[in-house]
């Protein structure tokens, strides 16, 4: 029988074959390599420093009173109930235990004040565990160093000193061979306790359920705001460019100097208004925590009508009802829907008659936009129509668009609750 050789190129290698190929000792080699990398990692020693820091407080207290050594553990209870203590402990844990996650979104350790009693109690438990881990490190490493001293003394043939931890009455050189085993306790405790306090910090100083919910709500609000900004840019800039293109085309086609002058003035006004809208929506991206300036409302609808007329469209507009009674969100979204409908009419139908009716009722805003069509049309799933539907649905209303006979009709209904 032929001995199995290495697999040919392109073969699928099973884990069992890989284990035999590596040899029986490859697990040990991998473990030793991992241990070496961890001992060479800076985070191992920052975690050790984090464990040593509480010992300074304990050392000061023991210098004052060695009899009541348990007092620091008792003082940790009222200290953990202070909201600011959780913030300080969270910052320390981020810097020393998980430095790679510091200032990273979605970190496993939160740096925030205690928001409720659950946070306070978890902070108390964390302080007690941190003190216990520090005491365990001190109680293990210091005796290990003293035992190492005694073994080295015995290995050189010296009798034990009066302060020896282990008293070896018959020194011999082979006692020095035990030193590496004792010294290995120190890095083992450093790694083990470092992992322990890091896991405890993630569990006890990590974001609470309320904090995670707030973060999720903030993320959702941010995504909604970005979607709104995209719609703002699409509606505002799209309307301005469509109007400018139609005005420029009409001016070139007529060849009338007076009409060209009026068209250029209209293009200038439309471009200036579009730049103002662009600055307003980009302000949210540049300064996300700054309040957004008031956006256009249906009170500025005449500006849309004049822009469309200057582009050559015959706009028959009528507004009925008290616009000032509309809630802000309904009036602002109604303006954007009207802007998108006019833009679509001019972009796809050109300079055609457009009839606009805006009716403010007791509890509903109705928008009707009808324009002539000159060729086959399709409702499709364009960004503009989808944006109108989304705006209306967010306010609990509806938006419908489609062809009827030789016209394209857009009908929008936005309910609202009248102010009392």
């Amino acid at each position: 029988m032929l001995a199995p050789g290495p697999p040919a190129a392109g073969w699928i290698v099973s884990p069992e074959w890989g284990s035999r190929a590596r040899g029986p000792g490859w697990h040990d080699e991998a473990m030793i390599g991992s241990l070496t990398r961890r001992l060479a990692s800076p985070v191992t020693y920052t975690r050790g420093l984090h464990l040593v820091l509480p010992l300074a407080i304990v050392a000061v207290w023991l210098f004052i009173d060695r009899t009541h050594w348990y007092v620091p553990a008792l003082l940790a209870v009222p200290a953990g109930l202070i909201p600011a203590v959780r913030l300080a402990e969270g910052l320390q844990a981020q810097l020393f235990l998980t430095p790679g996650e510091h200032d990273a979104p979605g970190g496993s350790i939160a740096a925030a004040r205690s928001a409720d009693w659950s946070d306070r109690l978890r902070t108390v438990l964390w302080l007690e565990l941190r003190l216990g881990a520090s005491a365990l490190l001190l109680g293990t490493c210091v005796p290990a160093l003293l035992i190492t001293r005694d073994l080295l003394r015995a290995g050189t043939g010296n009798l034990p000193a009066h302060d020896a931890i282990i008293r070896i009455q018959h020194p011999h050189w082979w006692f020095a061979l035990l030193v590496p085993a004792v010294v290995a306790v120190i890095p083992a405790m450093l790694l083990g306790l470092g992992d322990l306090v890091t896991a405890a910090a993630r569990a006890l100083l990590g974001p609470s359920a309320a904090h995670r919910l707030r973060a999720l709500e903030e993320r959702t609000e941010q995504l909604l705001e970005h979607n709104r900004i995209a719609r703002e840019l699409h509606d505002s800039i799209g309307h301005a460019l469509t109007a400018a293109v139609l005005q420029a085309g009409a001016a070139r086609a007529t060849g009338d100097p007076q009409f060209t002058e009026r068209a250029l003035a209209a293009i200038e006004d439309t471009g200036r208004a579009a730049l103002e809208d662009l600055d307003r929506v980009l302000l949210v991206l540049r300064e996300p925590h700054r309040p957004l300036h008031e956006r256009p409302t249906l009170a500025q609808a005449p500006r849309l009508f004049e822009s469309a007329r200057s582009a050559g469209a015959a706009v028959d507009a009528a507004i009925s009802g008290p616009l000032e009674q509309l809630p802000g969100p309904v009036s602002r979204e109604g303006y954007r829907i009207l802007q998108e409908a006019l833009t679509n009419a001019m972009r796809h139908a050109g300079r055609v008659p457009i009839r606009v009716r805006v009716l403010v009722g007791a509890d509903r805003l109705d928008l009707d936009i009808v324009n002539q069509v000159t060729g086959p049309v399709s409702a499709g799933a364009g960004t503009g129509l989808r944006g109108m539907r989304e705006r209306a649905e967010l306010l609990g209303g509806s938006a419908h668009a489609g062809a009827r006979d030789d016209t394209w009709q857009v009908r929008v209904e936005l309910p609202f609750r009248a102010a009392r």
Side-chain angles (χ1 to χ4, degrees):
M1 182 181 294
L2 295 177
W11 285 22
I12 299 176
V13 183
S14 67
E16 293 78 11
W17 190 95
S19 299
R20 293 193 299 268
R22 293 187 181 100
W26 76 274
H27 288 289
D28 297 334
E29 294 176 0
M31 185 179 299
I32 293 174
S34 175
L35 182 61
T36 303
R37 287 192 298 272
R38 292 196 62 190
L39 289 176
S41 175
V43 71
T44 299
Y45 303 98
T46 59
R47 290 177 177 178
L49 181 59
H50 185 268
L51 287 168
V52 171
L53 286 177
L55 296 179
I57 301 174
V58 177
V60 171
W61 174 255
L62 293 179
F63 179 79
I64 298 173
D65 185 0
R66 293 189 178 183
T67 304
H68 303 88
W69 52 268
Y70 51 84
V71 170
L74 296 178
L75 294 177
V77 175
L81 300 179
I82 302 174
V85 171
R86 183 175 183 83
L87 173 60
E89 290 295 321
L91 288 173
Q92 287 186 53
Q94 286 181 348
L95 289 172
F96 292 102
L97 300 181
T98 57
E101 299 178 9
H102 184 55
D103 289 336
S108 59
I109 299 177
R113 297 165 62 92
S114 298
D116 49 31
W117 277 103
S118 175
D119 287 347
R120 293 184 176 93
L121 294 177
R122 289 197 300 159
T123 306
V124 171
L125 184 58
W126 160 253
L127 291 177
E128 298 291 355
L129 188 144
R130 186 180 178 187
L131 284 172
S134 299
L136 182 59
L137 180 66
L138 178 66
T140 304
C141 294
V142 172
L145 292 175
L146 296 178
I147 292 173
T148 299
R149 180 201 61 183
D150 295 341
L151 291 175
L152 289 175
R153 187 189 299 271
T156 56
N158 296 320
L159 292 174
H162 66 281
D163 58 347
I165 298 295
I166 53 175
R167 308 188 67 84
I168 302 174
Q169 300 300 329
H170 303 286
H172 198 276
W173 64 267
W174 58 266
F175 281 101
L177 300 178
L178 302 177
V179 169
V182 178
V183 172
V185 172
I186 298 177
M189 293 298 297
L190 194 62
L191 292 174
L193 290 177
D195 291 343
L196 174 65
V197 295
T198 302
R202 290 191 171 108
L204 300 176
L205 297 180
S208 61
H211 186 273
R212 287 193 295 269
L213 181 60
R214 286 194 300 270
L216 180 60
E217 290 175 349
E218 291 175 0
R219 177 60 177 166
T220 303
E221 289 293 332
Q222 185 181 20
L223 292 176
L224 291 175
E225 184 68 8
H226 286 178
N227 289 335
R228 189 189 63 76
I229 290 172
R231 289 197 300 266
E232 291 281 345
L233 290 176
H234 174 271
D235 295 346
S236 178
I237 305 304
H239 174 80
L241 291 177
T242 300
V245 169
L246 291 176
Q247 289 160 357
R252 185 180 62 178
T254 58
D256 184 355
Q258 293 183 351
F259 183 84
T260 300
E261 183 177 356
R262 292 196 301 271
L264 290 175
I267 291 174
E268 181 182 2
D269 293 340
T270 303
R272 184 178 293 110
L275 287 175
E276 292 175 358
D277 286 344
L278 182 62
D279 288 340
R280 183 165 52 246
V281 295
L282 291 182
L283 181 64
V284 178
L285 297 178
R286 292 194 299 265
E287 302 178 41
H289 300 293
R290 180 175 175 180
L292 185 66
H293 290 168
E294 189 68 24
R295 290 180 286 155
T297 64
L298 281 176
Q300 285 80 48
R303 186 180 72 174
L304 293 177
F305 304 147
E306 291 302 321
S307 175
R309 292 187 182 107
S310 64
V315 180
D316 174 19
I319 300 178
S320 304
L323 291 177
E324 65 278 2
Q325 293 186 6
L326 286 175
V330 175
S331 186
R332 288 191 292 269
E333 297 304 320
Y335 176 92
R336 289 305 185 190
I337 292 174
L338 179 59
Q339 183 182 52
E340 178 62 27
L342 288 173
T343 301
N344 285 341
M346 292 187 295
R347 179 183 300 161
H348 299 292
R351 298 187 296 274
V352 298
I354 304 175
R355 183 174 63 86
V356 179
R357 295 293 182 264
V358 179
L359 175 61
V360 180
D363 57 0
R364 193 178 74 184
L365 169 66
D366 292 330
L367 299 176
D368 287 286
I369 303 95
V370 180
N371 63 273
Q372 298 291 325
V373 295
T374 57
V377 294
S378 174
T383 303
L385 297 179
R386 184 172 66 249
M388 285 192 292
R389 287 194 293 267
E390 290 176 353
R391 289 179 184 274
E393 290 171 358
L394 284 174
L395 294 175
S398 61
H400 304 280
R404 184 176 181 181
D405 298 331
D406 59 347
T407 63
W408 179 266
Q409 299 182 1
V410 175
R411 178 171 179 79
V412 180
E413 299 177 356
L414 302 179
F416 65 88
R417 180 175 297 178
R420 297 183 183 277

